[in-house]
Structure formats: structure tokens, C-alpha cells
Amino acid sequence: MNPSKFLVVSLALQTLIITSSSTKTGNSNLFREYIGAMFKNVRFTDVPINPDVDFHFILAFAIDYTTGSLPLPTNGAFNIFWDERNLSPSDVSLIKAKHPNVRVGLSIGGDSVNGLNANFTPSSVTSWVRNAVSSLTKIIKEYDLDGIDIDYEHFSTNDTKIFADCIGGLIKKLKGNGIIKFASIAPFDNDEVQRNYLALWRRYGHFIDYVNFQFYAYAKSTTVAQFLSYFEKQRRSYKGGKVLTSFNSDNSRGLIPDNGFFKACSVLKSKGELHGIFVWCADDSKEAGFPYEKQSQELLTN
């Protein structure tokens, strides 16, 4: 080939590659829903599942506290606190067999346990990680789960490095051992919460697949414009992360669907920034028949 022609072709190919890369969308068809925390007899089979989405159920919660009327912290030895009667290992097996696009994970921590704050209370990083890896591996294998979500909202120590090293160490071990395929975190806009989760993100963000940011923790008066500004703020805070949008299906907080949630998601989708949607929670959605779950999945796939 003529050298000058070769140079022209080469430059054209480079331009095509750059253009393709710069216009590549960051949108995703990921839909996630927490389930089982409210004990309202909701089952996996109650929830509508669009075959064209990546669907994650997240069992809420496993907590490192004792069971019983006066729960006490167990330093990483996790017990199940979701509705086991309706969400059993066999139920997990059946829903995954029926819907190949479904994965199931569990969330650890949560806001409360028997009416008390579910505090993150490690005795030491080493002992907490050891106990957490052991107890969660047992639960994950029993239920044939695919991943974990981190939803601690209260902390017994001000040392954010302890939280980062405990949670980061746990995720790293579970992934390294082939126990989980994905990990997510579920922070919200609270100073103490953000200090801990951002410390975790800075040290171990490369092990975290999704940021389930609780946008429904903002005021119910949130507008579309405010929601988009909140999203941009958190996208910058969790730089490089897949920050998902979210709503609370009891319509008590945040930008609710009837006030413009889906409009905000459409704006993000037009910018290639809709990395997925998650819902808190299936328990509260059951009575209304899951209309917003259906609408969310339609938006993600269209």
C-alpha cells in the first residue's frame, strides 16, 4: 500500500475508535429490589420480572446480632433477619430456574434490629472479617446467592478506617474465594454515613460493583431538578462507580414516581448515566400490585 494512503486509513480508523469510545453509553438494564425486611408475606413470584432486564433481588437483612427479644452484637457472626418462611433456599432456587435473568443477593446491616439501631460494632478488624467471611459464606452457599450488599447505617466507632478495612476485607475475601459475583453498597446523604462509605470507596472501590444510593432519604418535596443535582453530586463523590437511582415504594420520602422520578431517570438515560434502578421495597409494593416496578423495567429496556 502507498504509505500516504496507509496513513490516511490509519488516521481514519483511529478517529472511528475515538468517536465510538466517546459515545459509548453508560446506561444499563439493571433492576434491583430489596425484599423480606417487612415480613408482609411477599414472595419472589409476586414481583413482576421483565425478561429483558438484569434483575437482582436483595434479601434484607443478614445482621451480626443475636436473634431474640434483646439482640446483641456478635462481631461479624451473621444471622438471618428476613422472612425465611416465604423466602427460603428452595424459593431462591425456583425463581432462578424460572427466570434465567434473575440473581439473588443479601444485604447486611440495615437500620435496625428489633427496634434498636443495628450498629456496626467490630471487636477488631481481623476477628470481624474472619467471623463475617465464615458466617456469610455458610448463608450464601445454603441459599445459592450471587452477591452481597452493604447497608450499615449506624456505627459504634468514629474511625472510618475500621469500617473500610472490615467491609473491604470482607468483599475482597468473598470475591477472592469465588463465593460472590457482585458487591454493592447502600449509602445515603448523612455526614456519618458518607464519611464511612467514602473511606471504604477510596480504599476498596475497585471491588464494589454498584452504589445503591438511597436517594429516597432526601425530602419528599424533592423536585426533578434537585434529584438530578443530588445524583450529580453522588456521581462525583463515588467517582467511577455505577450509581443507581432509587425510590421508596411507600411514597414516604424522596422524589416519588408520581412527582417525576421517571422523568429524572429519562434525563439521565439521555445522557448515558442511568446505570440502573433499585427499589425499597417489594414488601411495601405488594399491596399496590407493583406498578412502579413494571414501569421501571420498561424504562430500562426501551
Side-chain angles (χ1 to χ4, degrees), residues 108-128:
I108 65 172
D111 175 58
S112 63
V113 51
N114 284 10
L116 303 173
N117 285 350
N119 286 308
F120 176 70
T121 313
S123 298
S124 70
V125 171
T126 301
S127 63
W128 190 93

Side-chain angles (χ1 to χ4, degrees), residues 29 48-55 98-102 297 301:
N29 64 346
I49 298 170
N50 187 315
D52 296 322
V53 302
D54 288 330
F55 197 113
K98 185 177 181 180
H99 298 279
N101 60 318
V102 167
Q297 293 175 71
T301 56

Side-chain angles (χ1 to χ4, degrees), residues 12-298:
L13 285 172
Q14 289 180 44
T15 302
L16 180 62
I17 291 169
I18 292 170
T19 302
S20 175
S21 176
S22 65
T23 58
K24 185 178 180 180
T25 179
N27 292 329
S28 165
N29 64 346
L30 176 63
F31 179 80
R32 317 186 89 200
E33 182 144 33
Y34 291 85
I35 188 170
M38 313 298 288
F39 287 81
K40 293 184 177 180
N41 297 316
V42 66
R43 307 182 72 96
F44 296 125
T45 50
D46 294 329
V47 184
I49 298 170
N50 187 315
D52 296 322
V53 302
D54 288 330
F55 197 113
H56 292 184
F57 282 110
I58 305 176
L59 292 162
F61 292 95
I63 313 175
D64 53 333
Y65 270 71
T66 58
T67 57
S69 58
L70 187 61
L72 298 171
T74 57
N75 189 39
F78 282 87
N79 289 302
I80 291 172
F81 283 85
W82 65 74
D83 184 359
E84 290 182 271
R85 186 171 69 86
N86 290 295
L87 302 164
S88 67
S90 62
D91 292 314
V92 172
S93 177
L94 287 170
I95 198 67
K96 290 171 72 173
K98 185 177 181 180
H99 298 279
N101 60 318
V102 167
R103 289 184 175 182
V104 184
L106 62 80
S107 186
I108 65 172
D111 175 58
S112 63
V113 51
N114 284 10
L116 303 173
N117 285 350
N119 286 308
F120 176 70
T121 313
S123 298
S124 70
V125 171
T126 301
S127 63
W128 190 93
V129 171
R130 180 179 63 245
N131 293 339
V133 169
S134 175
S135 59
L136 288 173
T137 295
K138 181 179 178 182
I139 295 171
I140 291 167
K141 286 186 173 181
E142 179 186 359
Y143 276 75
D144 188 25
L145 302 179
D146 303 290
I148 64 168
D149 174 70
I150 312 300
D151 189 27
Y152 280 104
E153 303 184 4
H154 307 282
F155 309 88
S156 63
T157 173
N158 292 322
D159 189 343
T160 60
K161 186 176 182 297
I162 292 176
F163 178 74
D165 287 342
C166 282
I167 300 302
L170 168 65
I171 295 172
K172 183 178 179 180
K173 283 275 190 183
L174 291 177
K175 282 196 167 185
N177 292 344
I179 302 301
I180 60 172
K181 301 179 182 70
F182 62 77
S184 59
I185 57 175
F188 57 97
D189 201 355
N190 166 278
D191 289 345
E192 182 183 31
V193 170
Q194 289 283 64
R195 280 196 301 271
N196 280 278
Y197 281 90
L198 288 172
L200 169 64
W201 183 259
R202 285 190 292 269
R203 293 174 64 83
Y204 296 94
H206 52 295
F207 290 107
I208 298 168
D209 301 285
Y210 313 109
V211 180
N212 281 12
F213 199 86
Q214 297 182 45
F215 289 102
Y216 46 81
Y218 291 107
K220 189 175 180 180
S221 59
T222 299
T223 65
V224 170
Q226 287 173 324
F227 184 95
L228 292 171
S229 71
Y230 297 152
F231 181 88
E232 179 62 20
K233 175 184 176 183
Q234 302 310 329
R235 189 183 70 84
R236 291 178 181 273
S237 294
Y238 295 92
K239 187 175 181 181
K242 295 178 180 178
V243 179
L244 277 63
T245 63
S246 60
F247 66 88
N248 186 329
S249 60
D250 72 359
N251 291 330
S252 62
R253 298 166 292 166
L255 180 61
I256 64 176
D258 288 344
N259 288 351
F261 173 78
F262 293 114
K263 181 178 180 181
C265 288
S266 294
V267 171
L268 293 174
K269 189 172 184 180
S270 72
K271 298 164 64 177
E273 295 177 354
L274 185 60
H275 304 301
I277 297 173
F278 81 89
V279 182
W280 177 272
C281 59
D283 306 55
D284 287 334
S285 296
K286 181 180 178 181
E287 185 177 356
F290 305 95
Y292 300 132
E293 281 79 355
K294 295 173 186 175
Q295 192 171 348
S296 295
Q297 293 175 71
E298 288 171 2

